[in-house]
Amino acid sequence: EHPDESRPLRILEVLKRAAGNVELAIDLRDVLSRAPEAARRYAALLYEEGAMDDLRAARLLGIELEELEPAVAALDASLREIK
């Protein structure tokens, strides 16, 4: 099974929009505060380095893909609710 290839782009788009939107930034902060550490680190990595696939992100973060994937899926689901 292949994760949604548009997911990193979707997450990055929300992160970048939050930089110029106070309400979205507050909602994003709330989502990230409840997210697993792996998801918070992933979001920071995307913001700094740009969109990338989960395997590359896992390697750069030094964590297993099996740990990253569910955290990112949950983050994506939460971010879809605040759009």
Side-chain angles (χ1 to χ4, degrees):
E1 175 181 319
H2 295 287
D4 182 354
E5 292 181 5
S6 65
R7 183 172 64 195
L9 293 171
R10 198 168 44 242
I11 292 171
L12 181 58
E13 191 264 335
V14 173
L15 296 173
K16 289 191 178 281
R17 278 194 308 121
N21 180 318
V22 174
E23 291 87 12
L24 181 58
I26 291 168
D27 290 342
L28 176 61
R29 184 188 66 203
D30 291 343
V31 166
L32 289 174
S33 72
R34 294 188 305 270
E37 180 185 355
R40 291 193 303 270
R41 293 178 60 212
Y42 173 85
L45 179 65
L46 287 190
Y47 191 78
E48 294 295 324
E49 301 293 331
M52 64 187 72
D53 63 61
D54 289 354
L55 183 58
R56 179 165 181 243
R59 286 182 183 145
L60 289 172
L61 293 170
I63 61 177
E64 296 295 324
L65 183 60
E66 294 76 19
E67 178 186 351
L68 182 64
E69 171 62 31
V72 172
L75 175 64
D76 184 40
S78 295
L79 292 179
R80 285 173 176 240
E81 292 178 13
I82 66 170
K83 283 184 138 185

mmCIF file of all heavy atoms in Angstrom, residues 3-12 42 46 54 68-70 72-74 76-77 80:
data_model
loop_
_atom_site.group_PDB
_atom_site.id
_atom_site.type_symbol
_atom_site.label_atom_id
_atom_site.label_comp_id
_atom_site.label_asym_id
_atom_site.label_seq_id
_atom_site.Cartn_x
_atom_site.Cartn_y
_atom_site.Cartn_z
ATOM 1 N N PRO A 3 1.201 5.257 0.623
ATOM 2 C CA PRO A 3 0.519 6.395 1.245
ATOM 3 C C PRO A 3 0.160 7.426 0.183
ATOM 4 O O PRO A 3 0.753 7.467 -0.891
ATOM 5 C CB PRO A 3 1.551 6.961 2.213
ATOM 6 C CG PRO A 3 2.617 5.947 2.338
ATOM 7 C CD PRO A 3 2.540 5.068 1.123
ATOM 8 N N ASP A 4 -0.792 8.228 0.487
ATOM 9 C CA ASP A 4 -1.222 9.293 -0.411
ATOM 10 C C ASP A 4 -0.023 10.198 -0.724
ATOM 11 O O ASP A 4 0.533 10.831 0.173
ATOM 12 C CB ASP A 4 -2.336 10.071 0.292
ATOM 13 C CG ASP A 4 -2.911 11.185 -0.552
ATOM 14 O OD1 ASP A 4 -2.386 11.454 -1.652
ATOM 15 O OD2 ASP A 4 -3.884 11.785 -0.111
ATOM 16 N N GLU A 5 0.367 10.235 -1.998
ATOM 17 C CA GLU A 5 1.548 11.023 -2.372
ATOM 18 C C GLU A 5 1.321 12.523 -2.233
ATOM 19 O O GLU A 5 2.281 13.283 -2.144
ATOM 20 C CB GLU A 5 1.968 10.677 -3.803
ATOM 21 C CG GLU A 5 2.499 9.266 -3.931
ATOM 22 C CD GLU A 5 2.930 8.916 -5.340
ATOM 23 O OE1 GLU A 5 2.914 9.808 -6.217
ATOM 24 O OE2 GLU A 5 3.287 7.749 -5.551
ATOM 25 N N SER A 6 0.063 12.947 -2.216
ATOM 26 C CA SER A 6 -0.211 14.379 -2.071
ATOM 27 C C SER A 6 -0.233 14.817 -0.611
ATOM 28 O O SER A 6 -0.280 16.009 -0.326
ATOM 29 C CB SER A 6 -1.543 14.736 -2.741
ATOM 30 O OG SER A 6 -2.617 14.099 -2.090
ATOM 31 N N ARG A 7 -0.161 13.865 0.318
ATOM 32 C CA ARG A 7 -0.262 14.200 1.738
ATOM 33 C C ARG A 7 0.827 15.167 2.194
ATOM 34 O O ARG A 7 0.500 16.176 2.849
ATOM 35 C CB ARG A 7 -0.263 12.926 2.587
ATOM 36 C CG ARG A 7 -0.446 13.208 4.060
ATOM 37 C CD ARG A 7 -0.648 11.957 4.853
ATOM 38 N NE ARG A 7 0.541 11.122 4.789
ATOM 39 C CZ ARG A 7 0.565 9.844 5.150
ATOM 40 N NH1 ARG A 7 -0.534 9.248 5.578
ATOM 41 N NH2 ARG A 7 1.680 9.156 5.082
ATOM 42 N N PRO A 8 2.108 14.941 1.875
ATOM 43 C CA PRO A 8 3.120 15.913 2.332
ATOM 44 C C PRO A 8 2.868 17.316 1.783
ATOM 45 O O PRO A 8 3.055 18.304 2.499
ATOM 46 C CB PRO A 8 4.439 15.355 1.802
ATOM 47 C CG PRO A 8 4.177 13.927 1.496
ATOM 48 C CD PRO A 8 2.715 13.817 1.185
ATOM 49 N N LEU A 9 2.418 17.403 0.540
ATOM 50 C CA LEU A 9 2.118 18.713 -0.040
ATOM 51 C C LEU A 9 0.948 19.373 0.679
ATOM 52 O O LEU A 9 0.963 20.576 0.930
ATOM 53 C CB LEU A 9 1.799 18.569 -1.535
ATOM 54 C CG LEU A 9 2.965 18.133 -2.412
ATOM 55 C CD1 LEU A 9 2.471 17.814 -3.819
ATOM 56 C CD2 LEU A 9 4.033 19.200 -2.453
ATOM 57 N N ARG A 10 -0.055 18.581 1.014
ATOM 58 C CA ARG A 10 -1.232 19.091 1.711
ATOM 59 C C ARG A 10 -0.848 19.613 3.099
ATOM 60 O O ARG A 10 -1.263 20.695 3.507
ATOM 61 C CB ARG A 10 -2.257 17.960 1.807
ATOM 62 C CG ARG A 10 -3.640 18.373 2.086
ATOM 63 C CD ARG A 10 -4.665 17.258 1.887
ATOM 64 N NE ARG A 10 -4.276 15.974 2.444
ATOM 65 C CZ ARG A 10 -4.093 14.859 1.721
ATOM 66 N NH1 ARG A 10 -4.227 14.874 0.414
ATOM 67 N NH2 ARG A 10 -3.774 13.731 2.316
ATOM 68 N N ILE A 11 -0.034 18.849 3.813
ATOM 69 C CA ILE A 11 0.400 19.261 5.150
ATOM 70 C C ILE A 11 1.259 20.522 5.064
ATOM 71 O O ILE A 11 1.059 21.478 5.815
ATOM 72 C CB ILE A 11 1.144 18.114 5.862
ATOM 73 C CG1 ILE A 11 0.163 16.965 6.174
ATOM 74 C CG2 ILE A 11 1.826 18.613 7.137
ATOM 75 C CD1 ILE A 11 0.815 15.702 6.688
ATOM 76 N N LEU A 12 2.186 20.539 4.126
ATOM 77 C CA LEU A 12 3.058 21.698 3.964
ATOM 78 C C LEU A 12 2.252 22.951 3.616
ATOM 79 O O LEU A 12 2.531 24.037 4.137
ATOM 80 C CB LEU A 12 4.106 21.426 2.883
ATOM 81 C CG LEU A 12 5.111 22.543 2.620
ATOM 82 C CD1 LEU A 12 5.883 22.898 3.887
ATOM 83 C CD2 LEU A 12 6.064 22.143 1.505
ATOM 84 N N TYR A 42 7.991 15.708 12.069
ATOM 85 C CA TYR A 42 7.730 15.612 10.633
ATOM 86 C C TYR A 42 7.259 16.964 10.094
ATOM 87 O O TYR A 42 7.740 17.425 9.058
ATOM 88 C CB TYR A 42 6.678 14.531 10.399
ATOM 89 C CG TYR A 42 6.183 14.417 8.983
ATOM 90 C CD1 TYR A 42 6.880 13.660 8.046
ATOM 91 C CD2 TYR A 42 5.010 15.029 8.579
ATOM 92 C CE1 TYR A 42 6.420 13.527 6.743
ATOM 93 C CE2 TYR A 42 4.538 14.909 7.283
ATOM 94 C CZ TYR A 42 5.250 14.156 6.369
ATOM 95 O OH TYR A 42 4.791 14.030 5.079
ATOM 96 N N LEU A 46 9.118 19.154 7.206
ATOM 97 C CA LEU A 46 8.496 19.614 5.963
ATOM 98 C C LEU A 46 8.583 21.123 5.840
ATOM 99 O O LEU A 46 8.865 21.641 4.765
ATOM 100 C CB LEU A 46 7.025 19.192 5.903
ATOM 101 C CG LEU A 46 6.689 17.742 5.658
ATOM 102 C CD1 LEU A 46 5.196 17.600 5.388
ATOM 103 C CD2 LEU A 46 7.487 17.135 4.538
ATOM 104 N N ASP A 54 7.413 9.810 2.853
ATOM 105 C CA ASP A 54 7.544 9.393 4.252
ATOM 106 C C ASP A 54 8.839 8.633 4.516
ATOM 107 O O ASP A 54 9.426 8.761 5.587
ATOM 108 C CB ASP A 54 6.348 8.538 4.676
ATOM 109 C CG ASP A 54 5.068 9.346 4.806
ATOM 110 O OD1 ASP A 54 5.113 10.582 4.687
ATOM 111 O OD2 ASP A 54 4.015 8.718 5.034
ATOM 112 N N LEU A 68 6.527 6.491 11.972
ATOM 113 C CA LEU A 68 6.168 7.764 11.350
ATOM 114 C C LEU A 68 4.815 7.711 10.663
ATOM 115 O O LEU A 68 4.001 8.630 10.819
ATOM 116 C CB LEU A 68 7.245 8.181 10.348
ATOM 117 C CG LEU A 68 7.014 9.522 9.662
ATOM 118 C CD1 LEU A 68 7.042 10.654 10.675
ATOM 119 C CD2 LEU A 68 8.045 9.745 8.568
ATOM 120 N N GLU A 69 4.568 6.654 9.907
ATOM 121 C CA GLU A 69 3.368 6.583 9.072
ATOM 122 C C GLU A 69 2.062 6.832 9.836
ATOM 123 O O GLU A 69 1.274 7.692 9.428
ATOM 124 C CB GLU A 69 3.351 5.241 8.334
ATOM 125 C CG GLU A 69 2.081 4.936 7.603
ATOM 126 C CD GLU A 69 1.726 5.918 6.496
ATOM 127 O OE1 GLU A 69 2.641 6.482 5.870
ATOM 128 O OE2 GLU A 69 0.533 6.121 6.290
ATOM 129 N N PRO A 70 1.786 6.127 10.939
ATOM 130 C CA PRO A 70 0.515 6.395 11.627
ATOM 131 C C PRO A 70 0.454 7.794 12.242
ATOM 132 O O PRO A 70 -0.618 8.400 12.296
ATOM 133 C CB PRO A 70 0.443 5.311 12.705
ATOM 134 C CG PRO A 70 1.800 4.730 12.814
ATOM 135 C CD PRO A 70 2.525 5.025 11.543
ATOM 136 N N VAL A 72 1.830 10.526 10.993
ATOM 137 C CA VAL A 72 1.576 11.463 9.901
ATOM 138 C C VAL A 72 0.139 11.334 9.401
ATOM 139 O O VAL A 72 -0.512 12.341 9.096
ATOM 140 C CB VAL A 72 2.596 11.257 8.756
ATOM 141 C CG1 VAL A 72 2.228 12.085 7.541
ATOM 142 C CG2 VAL A 72 3.993 11.615 9.242
ATOM 143 N N ALA A 73 -0.372 10.123 9.337
ATOM 144 C CA ALA A 73 -1.758 9.920 8.913
ATOM 145 C C ALA A 73 -2.713 10.622 9.883
ATOM 146 O O ALA A 73 -3.678 11.274 9.455
ATOM 147 C CB ALA A 73 -2.070 8.429 8.825
ATOM 148 N N ALA A 74 -2.439 10.514 11.176
ATOM 149 C CA ALA A 74 -3.283 11.175 12.174
ATOM 150 C C ALA A 74 -3.167 12.695 12.068
ATOM 151 O O ALA A 74 -4.172 13.412 12.175
ATOM 152 C CB ALA A 74 -2.903 10.705 13.576
ATOM 153 N N ASP A 76 -2.424 14.419 9.370
ATOM 154 C CA ASP A 76 -3.131 14.801 8.144
ATOM 155 C C ASP A 76 -4.637 14.852 8.392
ATOM 156 O O ASP A 76 -5.302 15.805 8.003
ATOM 157 C CB ASP A 76 -2.792 13.815 7.027
ATOM 158 C CG ASP A 76 -3.412 14.194 5.699
ATOM 159 O OD1 ASP A 76 -3.427 15.393 5.363
ATOM 160 O OD2 ASP A 76 -3.877 13.286 4.987
ATOM 161 N N ALA A 77 -5.168 13.849 9.052
ATOM 162 C CA ALA A 77 -6.610 13.817 9.341
ATOM 163 C C ALA A 77 -7.018 15.010 10.196
ATOM 164 O O ALA A 77 -8.050 15.650 9.938
ATOM 165 C CB ALA A 77 -6.976 12.499 10.025
ATOM 166 N N ARG A 80 -6.970 18.249 8.137
ATOM 167 C CA ARG A 80 -8.098 18.335 7.208
ATOM 168 C C ARG A 80 -9.338 18.895 7.900
ATOM 169 O O ARG A 80 -10.170 19.544 7.267
ATOM 170 C CB ARG A 80 -8.418 16.958 6.620
ATOM 171 C CG ARG A 80 -7.442 16.502 5.572
ATOM 172 C CD ARG A 80 -7.744 15.060 5.164
ATOM 173 N NE ARG A 80 -6.890 14.614 4.109
ATOM 174 C CZ ARG A 80 -7.339 14.217 2.930
ATOM 175 N NH1 ARG A 80 -8.616 14.226 2.658
ATOM 176 N NH2 ARG A 80 -6.492 13.818 2.011
#
